[in-house]
Amino acid sequence: MSAKPFDAADFRRALGSFATGVTIITTRSADGTPFGLTVNSFNSVSLNPPLVLWSLATSSLSLPAFQSAPHWAVHVLAADQDGLSGRFAKRGEDKFAGLDIETGVEGVPLLRGCMARFQCRTAFQYEGGDHVIFIGEVLSFDRNDAPPLVFHGGKYAHATLRDPPDLQPRSAHLAGSFGDDFLGYQLGRSHFRFLAQIRRYLTDAHLSDEDFYVLSALTLKARLTVADLDAGMAGILDESGHRALASLIERGLVRSSATDKQIYELTDSGRDSALRVISAAKAVEQQVLHRLGPGEAPVLKSLLARLLNVIDPAANALWQEKNADEGAPAAAHMR
Ligand SMILES: Cc1cc2nc3c(=O)[nH]c(=O)nc-3n(C[C@H](O)[C@H](O)[C@H](O)COP(=O)(O)O)c2cc1C
């Protein structure tokens, strides 16, 4: 019985449903030229003897180098090495230019900052359709505990641990009450606890929460109209934003522009105040994220950014630097 022919793109998509890590495999040709490419077909084969495999497309420009190389090295990439993965996924090019390279067994180029590195001797090569399968005997390896880069469905992804048992959501034991996995509870409580740690710096700088939001908006958009403020803070500050702006002006932290009275900008002391609190707030952020761990922090941030995009798409406007002089909507007057 012959297999049903199938669509090549569909086949690729189906293969892409298998989530993998990402590696870069490097070698050095006989004339000393370094070669390397991004590979996710890497896999373990045997513990004893220690064997690993990967497959290389016959169309790859690196094929002759690997076919004749007695040694090569596998680099398992960490979550923050997607840029390096992109660089080594380009065809040809001088992929090693400007990189800080170490030298491994028999001169094999080694990349730094990876989660794990396996230095291998070519044990076997097999033809595998439009790929050549390389099996290597691992001669030495090193590793560190960075979070991994993941590839899934043709895109880079994050890997996080599933909920440990002590963090399984508890369902509400009272009918009609929320469980502790209710999004509003999680976001609300995190928000208040997080801000509470920043508030003492605000108090030191004699700033209310609202003052700080307006000052922060002015650090994003150097020249802000009230319309910008209204659009950026809609549903968050409203009238209290206008009161905060008036109070900041009164205290000499914000002034209206010399050229247009309806555009607001930070004064030197306003910038100083804002930067002082922002750097303290960033230090608080660092401490909190550090407790979360290096693998989880970028995942949380990426998911929150997506949540914000879904729940408050207008927030993007605040982050788009636009000169208030050009094309700003007719500025509303301070009320
Ligand atoms: C995540 C990812 C995984 C890849 N895995 C492989 C692989 O397992 N084998 C392969 O031959 N090419 C793989 N590639 C493609 C090569 O990296 C790419 O074709 C590269 O340009 C080859 O370079 P070269 O022609 O200079 O050798 C992968 C690319 C990416 C982005």
Side-chain angles (χ1 to χ4, degrees):
M1 196 173 90
S2 68
K4 209 170 98 197
F6 45 62
D7 180 74
D10 251 4
F11 183 48
R12 259 176 183 274
R13 267 195 296 275
L15 290 175
S17 64
F18 183 60
T20 66
V22 182
T23 70
I24 290 173
I25 305 195
T26 58
T27 193
R28 199 177 288 279
S29 65
D31 70 358
T33 311
F35 281 84
L37 77 159
T38 303
V39 161
N40 71 338
S41 54
F42 169 74
N43 223 318
S44 55
V45 175
S46 157
L47 289 175
N48 190 13
L51 298 176
V52 296
L53 71 73
W54 62 288
S55 61
L56 177 59
T58 49
S59 58
S60 161
L61 295 177
S62 313
L63 182 69
F66 279 102
Q67 278 181 318
S68 53
H71 296 93
W72 35 266
V74 181
H75 304 76
V76 179
L77 298 191
D80 61 357
Q81 291 182 305
D82 48 328
L84 201 61
S85 168
R87 175 196 271 239
F88 278 83
K90 296 211 176 91
R91 203 169 155 73
E93 307 220 356
D94 185 4
K95 303 172 190 173
F96 294 85
L99 292 183
D100 183 14
I101 300 296
E102 282 173 66
T103 304
V105 57
E106 300 294 328
V108 170
L110 295 179
L111 308 171
R112 293 176 195 269
C114 304
M115 273 187 75
R117 301 186 298 193
F118 301 94
Q119 299 189 51
C120 304
R121 174 188 72 80
T122 310
F124 308 102
Q125 290 183 36
Y126 302 108
E127 279 177 27
D130 56 7
H131 279 63
V132 175
I133 301 159
F134 289 88
I135 297 199
E137 181 192 2
V138 179
L139 303 177
S140 69
F141 69 92
D142 54 83
R143 60 173 286 276
N144 69 59
D145 279 332
L149 183 61
V150 175
F151 198 67
H152 182 232
K155 298 194 174 77
Y156 296 115
H158 290 292
T160 56
L161 297 179
R162 298 283 289 263
D163 291 342
D166 56 329
L167 275 185
Q168 291 296 339
R170 279 159 297 207
S171 50
H173 24 250
L174 287 176
S177 66
F178 294 122
D180 68 357
D181 60 344
F182 174 61
L183 184 64
Y185 169 79
Q186 293 173 320
L187 289 176
R189 198 163 174 120
S190 304
H191 166 79
F192 284 116
R193 285 285 177 222
F194 185 71
L195 266 196
Q197 294 190 52
I198 292 171
R199 200 162 284 120
R200 68 190 162 101
Y201 300 105
L202 291 177
T203 310
D204 289 349
H206 307 290
L207 296 171
S208 66
D209 289 6
E210 291 78 7
D211 294 340
F212 181 53
Y213 295 151
V214 175
L215 279 187
S216 314
L218 274 157
T219 60
L220 289 178
K221 229 179 173 81
R223 295 153 63 73
L224 193 81
T225 64
V226 172
D228 290 333
L229 187 65
D230 284 346
M233 297 290 177
I236 301 171
L237 286 182
D238 299 325
E239 280 304 317
S240 61
H242 297 173
R243 282 197 296 275
L245 183 57
S247 149
L248 292 167
I249 294 170
E250 203 176 294
R251 285 180 283 157
L253 299 172
V254 174
R255 63 168 172 242
S256 53
S257 140
T259 51
D260 184 340
K261 290 279 162 248
Q262 289 170 5
I263 291 174
Y264 297 93
E265 57 193 20
L266 290 171
T267 61
D268 286 347
S269 61
R271 179 167 307 281
D272 190 57
S273 232
L275 292 185
R276 208 169 310 178
V277 180
I278 286 171
S279 38
K282 288 199 170 157
V284 170
E285 180 195 34
Q286 282 305 313
Q287 286 161 16
V288 171
L289 294 182
H290 180 74
R291 279 158 59 195
L292 208 55
E296 322 282 279
V299 181
L300 176 72
K301 286 203 156 202
S302 142
L303 289 177
L304 284 175
R306 279 164 59 188
L307 175 68
L308 204 54
N309 201 31
V310 168
I311 219 166
D312 186 9
N316 275 331
L318 205 58
W319 297 87
Q320 278 154 13
E321 183 58 59
K322 186 170 73 178
N323 191 337
D325 292 332
E326 298 164 12
H333 291 279
M334 293 240 355
R335 284 164 277 179

